[in-house]
Amino acid sequence: MDTSTHPITIKPRPRGADRYQYLTQTNAGTPAGELLRRYWQPVALIDSLPAGAAPQPIRIMGEDLVLFRDEDGRVGLIDRKCAHRCTDLALGRIESGGIRCPYHGWLFDVNGRCLDQPAEASATAKDRIRMKSYPLHEAAGAFWAYMGPGEPPLFPNYPALAGGSEYRYTTRWFGDCNWMQASEGNIDPVHTSYLHQLELSSADMQARWGVFSNQARPELAVEDTRFGVRLYTLRKIEGADRSSIRITNFVMPNACAVGGFEGYLGDGGVTMLWDVPIDDEHHWRWEFIFHRSGKLDKAALEEQYESEKVEGDRMRRAKDDLYSQDRASMERQAYLGLGECFSVHDIAITQSQGTIHEQSGEHLSSSDIAIVRARRMLDEAAQVVAEGGDPRGVVRDLADNDFRDMVVITGEIGTGESKEAYCAGYSESAELFTLQPTTA
């Protein structure tokens, strides 16, 4: 059942008042589901599947799969249901070069081929059995899967995924809502002045988060890029003929490249987020926090994140009690009253929009230009896929797999200076994300 030989008919895109609501639907055969499957998606942490580990159930875009490592270290991602009688292969045994179903002993390798049917009379019947399986790639501390048809595209050489683990912190969070509203929160530059506002009591905090504390009405602009949408956010600096400038990116179809925790180390940092659908009502928020210096304070990140998590990479804060909001702290410490962890802020606020955010109930404004453009870009890309083409951002030529133009920077420009020229100065240089030597 190799998906590359079984084309799927894509359902037509709906039109009308809720033009983009269909993008929340990601099962196979839906326009958005087929679009997302044309890109590599993170599916599991590499550390979660060491040698000798039990098979790991994976649910992604409504598909139930099983991830396993055979005795020779090869990793496979195949259908969770055995091709014989649909037994759960998460209960399977790792042996003899694959995963063996405990019901009748059928054995499958990492590519979904049936290697053994011990109770069958025919010695060749197994050769006609092929389980659904997906190619995997290991990068940045995660297993990535390509779930589309045909030859996988090149794995994108994004800055945040470069280098070894010493340059990056990788983690994920469970999100109890649809992927799209979470993804849109990442490209909303105005919310940082409110949702993430903290008391900046130290020089380190000021350096790390000071740009978020300015509530001045920002000047916003967007432009299309080969990989998505570039966002410019300018905020006037009080008492100066200058503005802060923050350049971030929407990365097709469900990622972003922004400045985050790593900002205190200066230029050369980027946080990339992926909101990967589990199904239409849940998603994984993947975080890849990178700095070219290799000097990330990963211990501080780990301490903060683990204090906010319970088993299964879920928030310890529950929706039913309003995420343990501390309203007293809202007067002096944290605008939202949910502590200092930005990930918690983002997850809680997007979950508050409902399991699947109903676009018909919203009133978009001038500050939502990035979200409007991203929705249109997704809509356009879904049509390209339906017509058999590669959507924006899919890379098949090595010459195109250089993403130094994915500029992420926070700085200052003078009145009258060109934001585009400011950005071009970084994108035309190879230095912004060039790895620096580290002894870590």
Side-chain angles (χ1 to χ4, degrees):
M1 271 192 341
D2 185 347
T3 56
S4 64
T5 60
H6 289 73
I8 294 175
T9 300
I10 302 176
K11 300 174 185 176
R13 300 174 301 159
R15 285 290 177 260
D18 297 333
R19 177 177 179 181
Y20 303 119
Q21 193 72 44
Y22 82 93
L23 294 170
T24 62
Q25 302 166 12
T26 62
N27 284 354
T30 63
E34 292 305 309
L35 171 63
L36 288 163
R37 284 168 171 78
R38 265 53 177 189
Y39 302 80
W40 290 95
Q41 300 287 349
V43 296
L45 291 162
I46 291 175
D47 289 347
S48 71
L49 196 75
Q56 184 177 147
I58 299 290
R59 183 166 172 81
I60 178 171
M61 292 186 279
E63 295 190 36
D64 288 306
L65 309 169
V66 63
L67 182 75
F68 69 96
R69 187 186 295 274
D70 69 17
E71 307 103 312
D72 294 324
R74 294 170 297 197
V75 181
L77 183 67
I78 68 174
D79 200 331
R80 186 170 173 177
K81 291 184 177 181
C82 176
H84 181 204
R85 298 270 296 280
C86 299
T87 302
D88 186 356
L89 286 179
L91 299 170
R93 298 170 57 89
I94 304 300
E95 61 186 33
S96 305
I99 185 169
R100 190 182 294 278
C101 178
Y103 201 8
H104 300 95
W106 287 25
L107 178 70
F108 302 94
D109 71 6
V110 296
N111 296 310
R113 290 189 294 258
C114 187
L115 303 179
D116 189 24
Q117 295 172 319
E120 299 306 309
S122 169
T124 60
K126 69 180 188 312
D127 300 329
R128 298 190 293 272
I129 302 296
R130 188 72 180 265
M131 292 273 282
K132 175 171 63 179
S133 65
Y134 293 119
L136 290 171
H137 181 84
E138 296 184 28
F143 293 114
W144 302 71
Y146 175 71
M147 298 173 64
E151 186 70 19
L154 297 178
F155 187 80
N157 190 27
Y158 296 148
L161 309 181
S165 60
E166 64 270 29
Y167 293 97
R168 184 181 42 261
Y169 180 83
T170 299
T171 191
R172 68 177 190 172
W173 301 76
F174 177 82
D176 197 11
C177 65
N178 185 263
W179 77 277
M180 190 173 173
Q181 63 213 56
S183 182
E184 290 180 344
N186 300 328
I187 56 171
D188 173 3
V190 174
H191 87 272
T192 58
S193 290
Y194 296 90
L195 184 70
H196 298 317
Q197 197 181 146
L198 300 172
E199 180 185 25
L200 304 177
S201 56
S202 67
D204 178 67
M205 289 287 283
Q206 182 65 43
R208 188 176 298 176
W209 306 123
V211 69
F212 299 121
S213 65
N214 182 354
Q215 289 191 29
R217 182 184 297 132
E219 174 190 330
L220 305 175
V222 298
E223 62 183 7
D224 289 0
T225 64
R226 63 193 179 96
F227 51 79
V229 181
R230 180 174 291 123
L231 289 69
Y232 295 101
T233 305
L234 280 75
R235 291 177 168 91
K236 182 66 178 171
I237 298 174
E238 187 176 354
D241 192 26
R242 301 183 66 75
S243 295
S244 70
I245 180 171
R246 190 165 184 253
I247 302 176
T248 56
N249 305 271
F250 167 62
V251 182
M252 282 284 290
N254 59 324
C256 72
V258 300
F261 179 92
E262 78 296 330
Y264 71 101
L265 291 171
D267 295 354
V270 56
T271 290
M272 290 196 72
L273 307 175
W274 266 263
D275 291 291
V276 182
I278 297 170
D279 50 38
D280 292 348
E281 297 186 347
H282 311 88
H283 71 279
W284 286 112
R285 171 192 169 100
W286 283 86
E287 301 188 14
F288 301 88
I289 304 172
F290 164 93
H291 199 274
R292 67 185 179 190
S293 68
K295 296 179 180 179
L296 273 177
D297 190 348
K298 291 192 282 188
L301 265 170
E302 185 77 7
E303 180 180 7
Q304 183 187 76
Y305 280 26
E306 290 307 308
S307 71
E308 292 285 358
K309 284 185 178 183
V310 294
E311 187 176 357
D313 288 319
R314 294 172 180 259
M315 284 199 306
R316 66 170 178 82
R317 299 170 184 267
K319 182 165 38 177
D320 291 345
D321 71 347
L322 293 179
Y323 305 103
S324 304
Q325 186 183 45
D326 179 359
R327 298 195 70 84
S329 73
M330 296 167 71
E331 299 299 322
R332 63 187 187 280
Q333 293 173 329
Y335 191 86
L336 181 61
L338 298 189
E340 297 182 352
C341 183
F342 280 25
S343 301
V344 168
H345 302 171
D346 288 333
I347 296 167
I349 212 70
T350 53
Q351 287 181 174
S352 77
Q353 293 174 288
T355 303
I356 301 178
H357 167 55
E358 291 294 334
Q359 297 167 11
S360 59
E362 65 186 8
H363 297 80
L364 297 179
S365 66
S366 61
S367 64
D368 298 311
I369 57 173
I371 291 171
V372 170
R373 182 60 194 128
R375 288 181 185 178
R376 289 177 180 167
M377 188 170 284
L378 288 166
D379 183 52
E380 293 159 2
Q383 182 62 28
V384 170
V385 169
E387 294 170 354
D390 276 339
R392 186 187 300 258
V394 166
V395 180
R396 296 194 181 275
D397 189 329
L398 276 173
D400 297 328
N401 205 13
D402 180 347
F403 287 93
R404 71 184 68 180
D405 55 337
M406 191 179 287
V407 174
V408 175
I409 201 76
T410 298
E412 295 183 9
I413 61 173
T415 301
E417 288 187 54
S418 165
K419 56 186 180 298
E420 292 84 4
Y422 179 87
C423 180
Y426 286 100
S427 64
E428 293 168 1
S429 168
E431 297 179 1
L432 182 57
F433 297 119
T434 299
L435 302 179
Q436 297 176 351
T438 175
T439 57

